[in-house]
Amino acid sequence: MTTSQGQVISIRGSVVDVLFPHSLPAVYSLLIAGENKQVALEVMTYPSSGLVRTIALTPTQGLARGSIVKNTGHPLQVPVGNTLLGRMLNVFGEAIDGKEQLSASKWRSIHAAPIPLGDRSTITDIFLTGIKVIDLLAPLEKGGKAGLFGGAGVGKTVLITELIHNVVSRYKGVSIFCGIGERSREGEELYREMQEAGVLNNTVMVFGQMNESPGVRFRVGHAALTMAEYFRDDLHQDVLLTIDNIFRFIQAGSEVSGLMGQLPSRVGYQPTLATELAELEERICNTASGSITSIQAVYVPADDFTDPAAVHTFAHLSASIVLSRKRVSQGLYPAIDPLQSDSKMLTPQIVGDRHYQIAQAVRQTLANYEELKDIIAMLGLEELAQSERKIVYRARRLERFLTQPFFTTEQFTGLEGRMVLLKDTLDGCELILNDDFDAYPEQSLYMIGSIDEANN
């Protein structure tokens, strides 16, 4: 046995203990085992002298006690560069789209330190999406992190697809989609939708699928970030990194932690939840040469926003977009809750005084309507004072004006997608708030782009 070789001592599910009698591999080193070198292991800890505890990134079938394990001498690496565009990859950088394998010349370690604070850009820019309700009430930060919160089936993936479509066509940047714990059906549908929308050629898709080991789901986010960092730092491009779903990254970390024998923390999560999430999130930032803007779908377990996974994710975000099941039932798409969604960018210093005042007036009107709903349900609209009725009419028109047909759902709705300029959104909301559209039926404002499309 050479100095770079060890042998398997024990196998417990995805955890493999390996004895290295001569020299220990470094933490995060990639080890290769199995007859055909088909088992990949990543070093996690050192339980005792000469022993390393690893997590398997591939199935451990065929591995047995006494099997020889080889230290590659480097961490898990992924390919980077323009050759990745239009392709679908796994955590090892292997093509999984049925086409020929990649012939990338540059490979990078998936583990990297965040950019030092001194090298980050301090200029705050708004990242316009062309989606009315987001640009008005929860504007995204260029180089920031936005969370899409919602339970199952409220439209997180549809919204992410639309954002990719709008960003690629508006910013001419690069989009990286990272699927953590995705079902194969979702990945295949997304691939076809992107192909049909014409955005695939500027997109890299990286998947750690639901049926893969927790080690893969735990590391696929780092792999996608490494590819994004190359586009930002070496090719000086703006990158949109969409992650679906960040909760499954936390879940994979919890599985890995349990397998490693760590004591669970609150609600059964891993004790290292905050650190692991920060290691991933802090690498997403702005520099003078380019930016990585991240939009992350966050599954909220049982719609409980006090869950530790949701709480820790909130701490990293500059904008929170909350999707509401109630709005889905009302047919208001995108089903974004205007009262719960918020952004740190929505201040007069950043968005300007006019945008701030209109956004506050819209939110106030909708909040007042929410309070009046109980009275309307019990006594009817007729029992309200004239001023309160005005609020209800305004709020209902605003709710419908903030709906929008999407490009990615054209084949389902039959409505042509709209990308709306921020100026058109502000003008429309201002006119509705000033009662200029009182004579128009509510339905004329439903599923339109700018206010000019409303027909009496």
Side-chain angles (χ1 to χ4, degrees), residues 109-122:
S109 163
I110 66 164
H111 300 282
I115 296 273
L117 283 175
D119 297 342
R120 298 188 184 199
S121 171
T122 53

Side-chain angles (χ1 to χ4, degrees), residues 110-167:
I110 66 164
H111 300 282
I115 296 273
L117 283 175
D119 297 342
R120 298 188 184 199
S121 171
T122 53
I123 297 162
T124 305
D125 279 330
I126 295 298
F127 189 81
L128 294 171
T129 62
I131 297 169
K132 288 184 281 194
V133 65
I134 293 177
D135 290 345
L136 175 71
L137 298 173
L140 307 186
E141 180 189 5
K142 195 173 179 186
K145 296 173 272 281
L148 280 180
F149 290 83
V154 290
K156 294 189 294 294
T157 306
V158 170
L159 194 52
I160 275 182
T161 318
E162 185 71 7
L163 285 163
I164 290 171
H165 175 278
N166 290 4
V167 166

Side-chain angles (χ1 to χ4, degrees), residues 125-294:
D125 279 330
I126 295 298
F127 189 81
L128 294 171
T129 62
I131 297 169
K132 288 184 281 194
V133 65
I134 293 177
D135 290 345
L136 175 71
L137 298 173
L140 307 186
E141 180 189 5
K142 195 173 179 186
K145 296 173 272 281
L148 280 180
F149 290 83
V154 290
K156 294 189 294 294
T157 306
V158 170
L159 194 52
I160 275 182
T161 318
E162 185 71 7
L163 285 163
I164 290 171
H165 175 278
N166 290 4
V167 166
V168 168
S169 52
R170 172 176 284 200
Y171 287 93
K172 301 287 181 278
V174 171
S175 173
I176 294 180
F177 179 88
C178 173
I180 304 177
E182 286 283 272
R183 300 169 187 88
S184 52
R185 170 186 61 77
E186 291 172 333
E188 191 269 340
E189 280 174 9
L190 192 68
Y191 183 80
R192 274 192 293 115
E193 279 167 18
M194 287 190 177
Q195 216 165 14
E196 285 162 20
V199 299
L200 189 62
N201 290 339
N202 281 325
T203 307
V204 183
M205 299 175 81
V206 193
F207 283 97
Q209 293 174 63
M210 203 174 251
N211 64 324
E212 294 188 78
S213 69
V216 166
R217 287 178 273 124
F218 191 49
R219 288 297 177 224
V220 71
H222 297 86
L225 246 174
T226 304
M227 296 169 189
E229 284 169 342
Y230 181 82
F231 282 112
R232 179 193 65 190
D233 301 335
D234 293 52
L235 302 181
H236 308 307
Q237 285 179 296
D238 289 335
V239 183
L240 175 71
L241 174 67
T242 41
I243 301 174
D244 189 5
N245 189 311
I246 202 74
F247 172 75
R248 297 211 187 103
F249 164 76
I250 293 168
Q251 214 172 24
S254 178
E255 287 177 54
V256 168
S257 170
L259 290 165
M260 299 305 251
Q262 292 178 341
L263 284 173
S265 177
R266 253 184 76 210
V267 201
Y269 285 106
Q270 64 271 41
T272 49
L273 190 158
T275 318
E276 287 167 4
L277 191 61
E279 278 174 0
L280 186 76
E281 299 280 12
E282 289 303 301
R283 287 170 66 180
I284 301 167
C285 66
N286 247 350
T287 67
S289 59
S291 66
I292 299 175
T293 304
S294 176

Side-chain angles (χ1 to χ4, degrees), residues 13 23 77 83 88 91 153 159 165 174 182 209 219 222 225 299 316 378 392 395 412 430 454:
S23 62
Q77 295 180 323
T83 51
M88 192 193 272
V91 74
L159 194 52
H165 175 278
V174 171
E182 286 283 272
Q209 293 174 63
R219 288 297 177 224
H222 297 86
L225 246 174
Y299 169 71
H316 291 278
M378 286 188 287
V392 172
F412 307 117
E430 197 168 39

Side-chain angles (χ1 to χ4, degrees), residues 329-381:
S329 65
Q330 292 169 334
L332 300 170
Y333 293 102
I336 294 167
D337 189 321
L339 300 177
Q340 280 192 285
S341 303
D342 198 17
S343 169
K344 290 176 181 155
M345 299 296 102
L346 196 59
T347 63
Q349 293 81 10
I350 295 171
V351 296
D353 201 52
R354 179 174 179 244
H355 181 160
Y356 177 74
Q357 297 299 345
I358 291 171
Q360 292 304 97
V362 166
R363 200 168 267 158
Q364 187 65 55
T365 305
L366 293 172
N368 290 346
Y369 175 43
E370 204 61 40
E371 286 170 14
L372 294 168
K373 275 182 180 173
D374 287 344
I375 300 169
I376 296 166
M378 286 188 287
L379 306 172
L381 190 62

